[in-house]
Amino acid sequence: MSDDLPQLNDDEAVALHELELGVEGLRKAHGYLVHFHHATGHAMNHLRDAETSLRAAGHDEFADHIRDEILPCGVLGDDRWTYDMLEKFEEEFFHDVLTFERNACETIASGERHVMERRQQRRWRERARD
């Protein structure tokens, strides 16, 4: 972190701040996607166990349905699984947004991040010394 803040006008600082908040929101969304992926996998494991229990109880038709129709299909349609969605988000959309953010930050603010927060930090520290 540089102690000298880049000389940005207010519009530039606000724009970079909004961009950073957008990226932070996408980081949170990524966490939700990871959680969804894990929760879905955990649920599918229970369905696999239900298949075994149904077969042991003599209900082969229900066990076969789980084995043949539920477990192998993707939950997102078009036979896509949750890991597909997670990988697409990470490798395509989120990667592109992060690259864009880094480029904008480098071009506009000499690579400094969180300029608005640094300005606020500086103001609060100066106020505390007064």
Side-chain angles (χ1 to χ4, degrees), residues 9-128:
N9 65 44
D10 289 342
D11 288 338
E12 290 172 323
V14 168
L16 288 179
H17 183 67
E18 289 298 327
L19 182 56
E20 289 168 348
L21 291 176
V23 167
E24 289 172 2
L26 290 175
R27 289 185 191 285
K28 190 174 187 179
H30 177 256
Y32 292 146
L33 289 177
V34 171
H35 181 78
F36 174 68
H37 170 60
H38 290 175
T40 301
H42 186 71
M44 298 302 268
N45 288 337
H46 282 291
L47 291 169
R48 181 201 58 220
D49 293 345
E51 173 198 344
T52 301
S53 296
L54 285 165
R55 196 166 309 286
H59 297 285
D60 289 343
E61 69 281 1
F62 292 117
D64 290 347
H65 184 82
I66 291 174
R67 182 194 65 205
D68 299 338
E69 302 298 327
I70 296 175
L71 292 179
C73 76
V75 300
L76 300 173
D78 299 331
D79 200 34
R80 290 183 20 221
W81 286 35
T82 58
Y83 73 85
D84 293 319
M85 178 182 60
L86 184 58
E87 287 178 356
K88 287 281 189 196
F89 180 85
E90 290 171 345
E91 296 169 4
E92 294 179 10
F93 178 72
F94 196 41
H95 173 76
D96 292 347
V97 170
L98 291 176
T99 300
F100 174 80
E101 181 204 23
R102 280 190 297 273
N103 184 39
C105 185
E106 187 63 41
T107 301
I108 298 170
S110 301
E112 288 289 337
R113 297 180 61 225
H114 297 103
V115 173
M116 292 286 281
E117 288 88 341
R118 292 180 202 286
R119 286 180 174 182
Q120 182 178 30
Q121 179 184 26
R122 179 175 283 171
R123 283 191 307 271
W124 286 358
R125 286 182 174 169
E126 288 170 355
R127 186 180 71 168

